[in-house]
Amino acid sequence: FRQRKHTMSKLASIRKEYALIDAVAKWQETLWYPALFAVLCAVAGSGNCYAYAPVFWIYCALVVFSALFADDLKVFIPPIFFFYCSLGSDLSPEQLLDREASFDSFSTAGLVNFIAAGLIMVAALIVKLAVSGAFKRLLNLRGGIFYSMIAMSAALMLNGIFSKGASLKNLAYGAAIGLGLLLLYMLFSVILADSRDCGPYVCASVLGVSLAATAQVLFRAMTVYKADLLFTYDELGNVLGINRDILQLSWGVATIVGAIIVIGIPAAFYLARKARYSFMYYAAAILLLIGSAVIDTRSAIITGAVFFMFCAILCCFSGENKKKNRIYTLVIILASVGARMIT
């Protein structure tokens, strides 16, 4: 305990001594920090190893800096949220459809880079949790939600275990998903408990991930459109719909990508309730709706529409910007009716 206090005191004194370090550490606690990750994620997830490998090392440098000088654990939320969705691909869209395993999406150099950067980030986070005392609180988690998460993790791990086609591979996949979710719950429970004003920060991070995923989908759509692969056609050459399979990304098929996109809609409206420029978050929510339409999964389209309507109504009757939000909502309704009449 004494050694931990001495280490934290020494790092705090270094931060105070150098104005630049202090400025960067404070900036990481603003909403511009998740915004930076959103831009980097959009670039990384849309490119090959020459795009995503440098981005992962930027993430790594930022996480190590946070482990050394941050005094609020919430600055680790953006790298945790964005890491997975930043996985680009070294395959063409057609090759991505035919891959046999997820790791086939990456070149050897890309794989080595993001694994190495990821391990350093995990190590830095563990050290920060240990030095700050949060690691001990993480191991002492209790309560109904915690035990419910354990039960859900066990259910995911054992799902289908008694079926004829069950295998150790299925068990490993279930364990990876279940234990991963449990670990994330434990981690976020500790981080949020020790953070200041974390609501807007978490929502900005969630919205950033959704916008980054939307940008990746739109970039992929433009790429495959040029190759005449975006739409499916009947025998007469009439368009049947969007070929959503060709839009899958290295980190997820269309249904997963669609879920990541629409989850940002409530976050956008949460920020619209109090933000000075709430119209920007309305615009972000509309962009996410467009993204859900492009990815063309029924679950994403329906869920996104329900989220949008419900959250827009809430914004009209609650929050500091409710008067302005009523105007924005009315404009959206009139624009939708006008577009419908024209078409």
Side-chain angles (χ1 to χ4, degrees):
F1 178 75
R2 290 179 180 176
Q3 182 64 34
R4 188 175 70 198
K5 287 189 67 177
H6 174 73
T7 301
M8 294 184 68
S9 177
K10 183 66 175 178
L11 292 173
S13 63
I14 294 175
R15 174 175 168 174
K16 290 180 180 179
E17 184 177 352
Y18 296 95
L20 180 60
I21 293 178
D22 186 55
V24 174
K26 289 180 178 178
W27 175 78
Q28 286 185 316
E29 298 179 17
T30 69
L31 299 189
W32 289 108
Y33 191 54
L36 171 64
F37 271 83
V39 173
L40 292 174
C41 179
V43 172
S46 301
N48 57 20
C49 67
Y50 294 104
Y52 65 77
V55 168
F56 280 122
W57 286 111
I58 293 173
Y59 288 175
C60 183
L62 291 170
V63 169
V64 171
F65 180 90
S66 299
L68 292 173
F69 302 111
D71 57 7
D72 194 325
L73 293 177
K74 72 181 181 184
V75 298
F76 290 98
I77 292 176
I80 294 172
F81 273 13
F82 286 92
F83 187 91
Y84 177 69
C85 295
S86 298
L87 293 172
S89 175
D90 294 290
L91 301 179
S92 68
E94 299 95 318
Q95 292 172 328
L96 202 59
L97 284 175
D98 298 328
R99 63 180 176 173
E100 295 182 1
S102 298
F103 285 126
D104 293 339
S105 303
F106 318 109
S107 65
T108 302
L111 196 62
V112 169
N113 272 276
F114 86 71
I115 290 178
L119 290 175
I120 294 173
M121 291 165 65
V122 170
L125 176 58
I126 291 174
V127 170
K128 184 64 175 181
L129 292 175
V131 172
S132 66
F135 193 73
K136 184 177 180 180
R137 293 192 294 277
L138 186 147
L139 297 177
N140 291 327
L141 280 176
R142 299 290 186 275
I145 298 179
F146 175 66
Y147 296 124
S148 298
M149 289 296 298
I150 292 178
M152 186 183 74
S153 298
L156 288 170
M157 185 170 62
L158 300 176
N159 183 34
I161 196 67
F162 299 110
S163 67
K164 293 181 180 180
S167 65
L168 289 176
K169 186 177 180 180
N170 301 130
L171 183 64
Y173 279 138
I177 296 172
L179 295 178
L181 289 174
L182 178 62
L183 180 61
L184 284 176
Y185 165 75
M186 295 172 66
L187 188 59
F188 281 111
S189 295
V190 172
I191 289 176
L192 298 180
D194 286 359
S195 298
R196 302 181 298 272
D197 193 27
C198 56
Y201 198 85
V202 172
C203 286
S205 299
V206 172
L207 177 58
V209 172
S210 298
L211 289 173
T214 300
Q216 293 175 24
V217 168
L218 294 178
F219 179 80
R220 175 61 58 86
M222 289 188 292
T223 301
V224 298
Y225 176 76
K226 294 178 180 178
D228 198 26
L229 297 172
L230 181 59
F231 300 106
T232 57
Y233 303 91
D234 62 15
E235 296 177 353
L236 300 176
N238 299 314
V239 175
L240 295 176
I242 292 176
N243 181 12
R244 69 183 185 186
D245 292 331
I246 202 71
L247 294 179
Q248 69 172 284
L249 304 172
S250 64
W251 52 267
V253 295
T255 50
I256 295 176
V257 176
I260 295 295
I261 288 174
V262 299
I263 200 65
I265 294 176
F269 280 108
Y270 175 90
L271 295 169
R273 294 173 69 249
K274 295 182 179 180
R276 181 177 180 184
Y277 301 107
S278 58
F279 69 90
M280 295 176 58
Y281 296 108
Y282 263 77
I286 293 173
L287 182 59
L288 296 181
L289 273 183
I290 295 172
S292 68
V294 172
I295 203 67
D296 197 32
T297 65
R298 185 182 306 171
S299 57
I301 293 172
I302 295 175
T303 304
V306 171
F307 278 169
F308 192 96
M309 290 186 292
F310 181 75
C311 294
I313 292 172
L314 285 181
C315 280
C316 290
F317 296 98
S318 64
E320 298 175 6
N321 296 326
K322 58 185 178 182
K323 292 183 179 179
K324 291 191 294 185
N325 290 339
R326 289 170 187 168
I327 298 174
Y328 303 148
T329 303
L330 180 60
V331 170
I332 292 172
I333 293 173
L334 293 176
S336 301
V337 172
R340 180 61 180 172
M341 292 176 64
I342 292 174
T343 56

